[in-house]
Amino acid sequence: QVQLVESGGGLVQPGGSLRLSCAVSRNIASISAMGWYRQAPEKQRELVARITNGGITNYADSVKGRFTISTDNAKNTAHLQMNSLKPEDTAVYYCVAVTPWKDYWGQGTQVTVSS
């Protein structure tokens, strides 16, 4: 069993930055990959960014160059640094831990980009 707790969401103006964190209840180095998804109202959940335990990353085209995913193995935490935020980034952001037997999801954190 893996438990995830997200934090760092909030309201930010366009062009601003936020840093999301995901605290993981087990050794993050033993998890195959960590990811961030988002879901906007009346839209499907989509992958934002993903990082493997080998450090390989991939991003949605819409966030490339603006968002950075990382992990802190010492603190068992994953982060999503979001810069140059746009109104279309508004969504609930979910952390996910990928293991060979199951994907574990956090409860989500709201990000709202508005002036």
Side-chain angles (χ1 to χ4, degrees), residues 79-101:
H79 299 286
L80 184 68
Q81 177 67 42
M82 305 186 294
N83 299 328
S84 302
L85 283 161
K86 304 175 181 180
E88 51 264 42
D89 294 318
T90 295
V92 177
Y93 284 70
Y94 297 91
C95 177
V96 61
V98 178
T99 69
W101 55 90

PDB file of all heavy atoms in Angstrom, residues 79-101:
ATOM      1  N   HIS A  79       7.940  16.481  -6.800  1.00  0.00           N
ATOM      2  CA  HIS A  79       7.568  17.880  -6.972  1.00  0.00           C
ATOM      3  C   HIS A  79       7.188  18.157  -8.417  1.00  0.00           C
ATOM      4  O   HIS A  79       7.669  17.490  -9.341  1.00  0.00           O
ATOM      5  CB  HIS A  79       8.732  18.793  -6.582  1.00  0.00           C
ATOM      6  CG  HIS A  79       9.166  18.664  -5.173  1.00  0.00           C
ATOM      7  ND1 HIS A  79       8.444  19.158  -4.112  1.00  0.00           N
ATOM      8  CD2 HIS A  79      10.270  18.056  -4.636  1.00  0.00           C
ATOM      9  CE1 HIS A  79       9.071  18.892  -2.982  1.00  0.00           C
ATOM     10  NE2 HIS A  79      10.189  18.218  -3.264  1.00  0.00           N
ATOM     11  N   LEU A  80       6.353  19.164  -8.583  1.00  0.00           N
ATOM     12  CA  LEU A  80       6.062  19.683  -9.911  1.00  0.00           C
ATOM     13  C   LEU A  80       6.211  21.198  -9.825  1.00  0.00           C
ATOM     14  O   LEU A  80       5.374  21.865  -9.215  1.00  0.00           O
ATOM     15  CB  LEU A  80       4.658  19.301 -10.375  1.00  0.00           C
ATOM     16  CG  LEU A  80       4.317  19.734 -11.795  1.00  0.00           C
ATOM     17  CD1 LEU A  80       5.150  18.947 -12.816  1.00  0.00           C
ATOM     18  CD2 LEU A  80       2.822  19.540 -12.099  1.00  0.00           C
ATOM     19  N   GLN A  81       7.282  21.705 -10.419  1.00  0.00           N
ATOM     20  CA  GLN A  81       7.502  23.139 -10.479  1.00  0.00           C
ATOM     21  C   GLN A  81       6.791  23.675 -11.712  1.00  0.00           C
ATOM     22  O   GLN A  81       7.066  23.226 -12.827  1.00  0.00           O
ATOM     23  CB  GLN A  81       8.992  23.463 -10.548  1.00  0.00           C
ATOM     24  CG  GLN A  81       9.303  24.941 -10.678  1.00  0.00           C
ATOM     25  CD  GLN A  81       8.913  25.736  -9.432  1.00  0.00           C
ATOM     26  OE1 GLN A  81       9.145  25.287  -8.311  1.00  0.00           O
ATOM     27  NE2 GLN A  81       8.310  26.898  -9.628  1.00  0.00           N
ATOM     28  N   MET A  82       5.884  24.619 -11.507  1.00  0.00           N
ATOM     29  CA  MET A  82       5.073  25.149 -12.605  1.00  0.00           C
ATOM     30  C   MET A  82       5.346  26.640 -12.739  1.00  0.00           C
ATOM     31  O   MET A  82       5.079  27.418 -11.813  1.00  0.00           O
ATOM     32  CB  MET A  82       3.587  24.905 -12.322  1.00  0.00           C
ATOM     33  CG  MET A  82       3.249  23.443 -12.056  1.00  0.00           C
ATOM     34  SD  MET A  82       1.482  23.144 -11.898  1.00  0.00           S
ATOM     35  CE  MET A  82       1.116  24.055 -10.405  1.00  0.00           C
ATOM     36  N   ASN A  83       5.896  27.018 -13.873  1.00  0.00           N
ATOM     37  CA  ASN A  83       6.211  28.422 -14.158  1.00  0.00           C
ATOM     38  C   ASN A  83       5.382  28.914 -15.334  1.00  0.00           C
ATOM     39  O   ASN A  83       4.824  28.122 -16.093  1.00  0.00           O
ATOM     40  CB  ASN A  83       7.697  28.579 -14.474  1.00  0.00           C
ATOM     41  CG  ASN A  83       8.597  28.161 -13.322  1.00  0.00           C
ATOM     42  OD1 ASN A  83       8.243  28.307 -12.154  1.00  0.00           O
ATOM     43  ND2 ASN A  83       9.769  27.640 -13.651  1.00  0.00           N
ATOM     44  N   SER A  84       5.329  30.223 -15.477  1.00  0.00           N
ATOM     45  CA  SER A  84       4.596  30.844 -16.590  1.00  0.00           C
ATOM     46  C   SER A  84       3.197  30.270 -16.719  1.00  0.00           C
ATOM     47  O   SER A  84       2.756  29.889 -17.810  1.00  0.00           O
ATOM     48  CB  SER A  84       5.373  30.646 -17.906  1.00  0.00           C
ATOM     49  OG  SER A  84       6.663  31.184 -17.820  1.00  0.00           O
ATOM     50  N   LEU A  85       2.515  30.207 -15.607  1.00  0.00           N
ATOM     51  CA  LEU A  85       1.194  29.578 -15.591  1.00  0.00           C
ATOM     52  C   LEU A  85       0.189  30.356 -16.429  1.00  0.00           C
ATOM     53  O   LEU A  85       0.234  31.591 -16.507  1.00  0.00           O
ATOM     54  CB  LEU A  85       0.698  29.440 -14.154  1.00  0.00           C
ATOM     55  CG  LEU A  85       1.353  28.287 -13.380  1.00  0.00           C
ATOM     56  CD1 LEU A  85       1.207  28.461 -11.887  1.00  0.00           C
ATOM     57  CD2 LEU A  85       0.743  26.955 -13.820  1.00  0.00           C
ATOM     58  N   LYS A  86      -0.716  29.601 -17.031  1.00  0.00           N
ATOM     59  CA  LYS A  86      -1.743  30.152 -17.905  1.00  0.00           C
ATOM     60  C   LYS A  86      -3.124  29.775 -17.351  1.00  0.00           C
ATOM     61  O   LYS A  86      -3.251  28.770 -16.644  1.00  0.00           O
ATOM     62  CB  LYS A  86      -1.600  29.577 -19.312  1.00  0.00           C
ATOM     63  CG  LYS A  86      -0.238  29.771 -19.940  1.00  0.00           C
ATOM     64  CD  LYS A  86      -0.162  29.067 -21.286  1.00  0.00           C
ATOM     65  CE  LYS A  86       1.212  29.226 -21.924  1.00  0.00           C
ATOM     66  NZ  LYS A  86       1.303  28.536 -23.243  1.00  0.00           N
ATOM     67  N   PRO A  87      -4.149  30.535 -17.701  1.00  0.00           N
ATOM     68  CA  PRO A  87      -5.498  30.174 -17.233  1.00  0.00           C
ATOM     69  C   PRO A  87      -5.886  28.741 -17.613  1.00  0.00           C
ATOM     70  O   PRO A  87      -6.585  28.066 -16.839  1.00  0.00           O
ATOM     71  CB  PRO A  87      -6.383  31.202 -17.942  1.00  0.00           C
ATOM     72  CG  PRO A  87      -5.506  32.404 -18.096  1.00  0.00           C
ATOM     73  CD  PRO A  87      -4.139  31.839 -18.377  1.00  0.00           C
ATOM     74  N   GLU A  88      -5.415  28.270 -18.744  1.00  0.00           N
ATOM     75  CA  GLU A  88      -5.763  26.910 -19.158  1.00  0.00           C
ATOM     76  C   GLU A  88      -5.056  25.829 -18.340  1.00  0.00           C
ATOM     77  O   GLU A  88      -5.331  24.634 -18.512  1.00  0.00           O
ATOM     78  CB  GLU A  88      -5.467  26.706 -20.654  1.00  0.00           C
ATOM     79  CG  GLU A  88      -4.085  27.111 -21.103  1.00  0.00           C
ATOM     80  CD  GLU A  88      -4.042  28.520 -21.672  1.00  0.00           C
ATOM     81  OE1 GLU A  88      -4.687  29.434 -21.097  1.00  0.00           O
ATOM     82  OE2 GLU A  88      -3.347  28.705 -22.697  1.00  0.00           O
ATOM     83  N   ASP A  89      -4.160  26.222 -17.449  1.00  0.00           N
ATOM     84  CA  ASP A  89      -3.556  25.265 -16.519  1.00  0.00           C
ATOM     85  C   ASP A  89      -4.453  25.009 -15.297  1.00  0.00           C
ATOM     86  O   ASP A  89      -4.139  24.146 -14.479  1.00  0.00           O
ATOM     87  CB  ASP A  89      -2.199  25.776 -16.028  1.00  0.00           C
ATOM     88  CG  ASP A  89      -1.165  25.853 -17.134  1.00  0.00           C
ATOM     89  OD1 ASP A  89      -1.107  24.922 -17.958  1.00  0.00           O
ATOM     90  OD2 ASP A  89      -0.420  26.851 -17.176  1.00  0.00           O
ATOM     91  N   THR A  90      -5.527  25.759 -15.186  1.00  0.00           N
ATOM     92  CA  THR A  90      -6.451  25.585 -14.073  1.00  0.00           C
ATOM     93  C   THR A  90      -7.044  24.179 -14.087  1.00  0.00           C
ATOM     94  O   THR A  90      -7.606  23.740 -15.096  1.00  0.00           O
ATOM     95  CB  THR A  90      -7.586  26.620 -14.147  1.00  0.00           C
ATOM     96  OG1 THR A  90      -7.028  27.930 -13.970  1.00  0.00           O
ATOM     97  CG2 THR A  90      -8.627  26.368 -13.064  1.00  0.00           C
ATOM     98  N   ALA A  91      -6.893  23.477 -12.965  1.00  0.00           N
ATOM     99  CA  ALA A  91      -7.363  22.089 -12.871  1.00  0.00           C
ATOM    100  C   ALA A  91      -7.077  21.564 -11.466  1.00  0.00           C
ATOM    101  O   ALA A  91      -6.386  22.218 -10.685  1.00  0.00           O
ATOM    102  CB  ALA A  91      -6.654  21.210 -13.898  1.00  0.00           C
ATOM    103  N   VAL A  92      -7.610  20.390 -11.197  1.00  0.00           N
ATOM    104  CA  VAL A  92      -7.183  19.637 -10.019  1.00  0.00           C
ATOM    105  C   VAL A  92      -6.005  18.774 -10.451  1.00  0.00           C
ATOM    106  O   VAL A  92      -6.095  18.049 -11.450  1.00  0.00           O
ATOM    107  CB  VAL A  92      -8.316  18.765  -9.450  1.00  0.00           C
ATOM    108  CG1 VAL A  92      -7.810  17.951  -8.263  1.00  0.00           C
ATOM    109  CG2 VAL A  92      -9.503  19.629  -9.046  1.00  0.00           C
ATOM    110  N   TYR A  93      -4.920  18.880  -9.712  1.00  0.00           N
ATOM    111  CA  TYR A  93      -3.706  18.142 -10.035  1.00  0.00           C
ATOM    112  C   TYR A  93      -3.566  16.948  -9.087  1.00  0.00           C
ATOM    113  O   TYR A  93      -3.677  17.098  -7.865  1.00  0.00           O
ATOM    114  CB  TYR A  93      -2.492  19.061  -9.919  1.00  0.00           C
ATOM    115  CG  TYR A  93      -2.361  20.004 -11.086  1.00  0.00           C
ATOM    116  CD1 TYR A  93      -3.270  21.055 -11.267  1.00  0.00           C
ATOM    117  CD2 TYR A  93      -1.356  19.848 -12.040  1.00  0.00           C
ATOM    118  CE1 TYR A  93      -3.173  21.916 -12.352  1.00  0.00           C
ATOM    119  CE2 TYR A  93      -1.254  20.696 -13.126  1.00  0.00           C
ATOM    120  CZ  TYR A  93      -2.163  21.719 -13.278  1.00  0.00           C
ATOM    121  OH  TYR A  93      -2.063  22.566 -14.365  1.00  0.00           O
ATOM    122  N   TYR A  94      -3.289  15.787  -9.683  1.00  0.00           N
ATOM    123  CA  TYR A  94      -3.182  14.543  -8.930  1.00  0.00           C
ATOM    124  C   TYR A  94      -1.781  13.964  -9.070  1.00  0.00           C
ATOM    125  O   TYR A  94      -1.219  13.918 -10.165  1.00  0.00           O
ATOM    126  CB  TYR A  94      -4.180  13.515  -9.450  1.00  0.00           C
ATOM    127  CG  TYR A  94      -5.628  13.909  -9.299  1.00  0.00           C
ATOM    128  CD1 TYR A  94      -6.285  14.601 -10.312  1.00  0.00           C
ATOM    129  CD2 TYR A  94      -6.347  13.571  -8.151  1.00  0.00           C
ATOM    130  CE1 TYR A  94      -7.620  14.958 -10.186  1.00  0.00           C
ATOM    131  CE2 TYR A  94      -7.683  13.925  -8.024  1.00  0.00           C
ATOM    132  CZ  TYR A  94      -8.309  14.622  -9.035  1.00  0.00           C
ATOM    133  OH  TYR A  94      -9.625  14.965  -8.909  1.00  0.00           O
ATOM    134  N   CYS A  95      -1.270  13.486  -7.968  1.00  0.00           N
ATOM    135  CA  CYS A  95      -0.010  12.751  -7.955  1.00  0.00           C
ATOM    136  C   CYS A  95      -0.308  11.265  -8.095  1.00  0.00           C
ATOM    137  O   CYS A  95      -1.308  10.776  -7.536  1.00  0.00           O
ATOM    138  CB  CYS A  95       0.694  13.039  -6.634  1.00  0.00           C
ATOM    139  SG  CYS A  95       2.227  12.163  -6.365  1.00  0.00           S
ATOM    140  N   VAL A  96       0.523  10.541  -8.814  1.00  0.00           N
ATOM    141  CA  VAL A  96       0.329   9.102  -8.971  1.00  0.00           C
ATOM    142  C   VAL A  96       1.671   8.395  -8.802  1.00  0.00           C
ATOM    143  O   VAL A  96       2.712   8.881  -9.254  1.00  0.00           O
ATOM    144  CB  VAL A  96      -0.292   8.767 -10.335  1.00  0.00           C
ATOM    145  CG1 VAL A  96       0.599   9.203 -11.474  1.00  0.00           C
ATOM    146  CG2 VAL A  96      -0.598   7.285 -10.444  1.00  0.00           C
ATOM    147  N   ALA A  97       1.634   7.268  -8.112  1.00  0.00           N
ATOM    148  CA  ALA A  97       2.808   6.408  -7.942  1.00  0.00           C
ATOM    149  C   ALA A  97       2.563   5.125  -8.719  1.00  0.00           C
ATOM    150  O   ALA A  97       1.557   4.436  -8.482  1.00  0.00           O
ATOM    151  CB  ALA A  97       3.043   6.107  -6.471  1.00  0.00           C
ATOM    152  N   VAL A  98       3.460   4.818  -9.643  1.00  0.00           N
ATOM    153  CA  VAL A  98       3.321   3.647 -10.509  1.00  0.00           C
ATOM    154  C   VAL A  98       4.160   2.512  -9.940  1.00  0.00           C
ATOM    155  O   VAL A  98       5.378   2.657  -9.777  1.00  0.00           O
ATOM    156  CB  VAL A  98       3.775   3.975 -11.937  1.00  0.00           C
ATOM    157  CG1 VAL A  98       3.676   2.740 -12.818  1.00  0.00           C
ATOM    158  CG2 VAL A  98       2.944   5.124 -12.505  1.00  0.00           C
ATOM    159  N   THR A  99       3.503   1.396  -9.603  1.00  0.00           N
ATOM    160  CA  THR A  99       4.207   0.207  -9.136  1.00  0.00           C
ATOM    161  C   THR A  99       3.856  -0.955 -10.055  1.00  0.00           C
ATOM    162  O   THR A  99       2.885  -0.874 -10.811  1.00  0.00           O
ATOM    163  CB  THR A  99       3.835  -0.136  -7.680  1.00  0.00           C
ATOM    164  OG1 THR A  99       2.469  -0.596  -7.643  1.00  0.00           O
ATOM    165  CG2 THR A  99       3.984   1.072  -6.776  1.00  0.00           C
ATOM    166  N   PRO A 100       4.608  -2.055 -10.012  1.00  0.00           N
ATOM    167  CA  PRO A 100       4.306  -3.182 -10.902  1.00  0.00           C
ATOM    168  C   PRO A 100       2.920  -3.794 -10.681  1.00  0.00           C
ATOM    169  O   PRO A 100       2.384  -4.443 -11.576  1.00  0.00           O
ATOM    170  CB  PRO A 100       5.413  -4.176 -10.572  1.00  0.00           C
ATOM    171  CG  PRO A 100       6.535  -3.348 -10.069  1.00  0.00           C
ATOM    172  CD  PRO A 100       5.869  -2.237  -9.283  1.00  0.00           C
ATOM    173  N   TRP A 101       2.358  -3.600  -9.484  1.00  0.00           N
ATOM    174  CA  TRP A 101       1.085  -4.247  -9.206  1.00  0.00           C
ATOM    175  C   TRP A 101      -0.106  -3.296  -9.220  1.00  0.00           C
ATOM    176  O   TRP A 101      -1.234  -3.725  -9.366  1.00  0.00           O
ATOM    177  CB  TRP A 101       1.154  -4.971  -7.844  1.00  0.00           C
ATOM    178  CG  TRP A 101       1.558  -4.081  -6.716  1.00  0.00           C
ATOM    179  CD1 TRP A 101       0.734  -3.349  -5.912  1.00  0.00           C
ATOM    180  CD2 TRP A 101       2.901  -3.816  -6.265  1.00  0.00           C
ATOM    181  NE1 TRP A 101       1.476  -2.642  -5.000  1.00  0.00           N
ATOM    182  CE2 TRP A 101       2.796  -2.909  -5.176  1.00  0.00           C
ATOM    183  CE3 TRP A 101       4.151  -4.237  -6.667  1.00  0.00           C
ATOM    184  CZ2 TRP A 101       3.909  -2.425  -4.497  1.00  0.00           C
ATOM    185  CZ3 TRP A 101       5.260  -3.761  -5.990  1.00  0.00           C
ATOM    186  CH2 TRP A 101       5.139  -2.872  -4.922  1.00  0.00           C
TER     187      TRP A 101
END
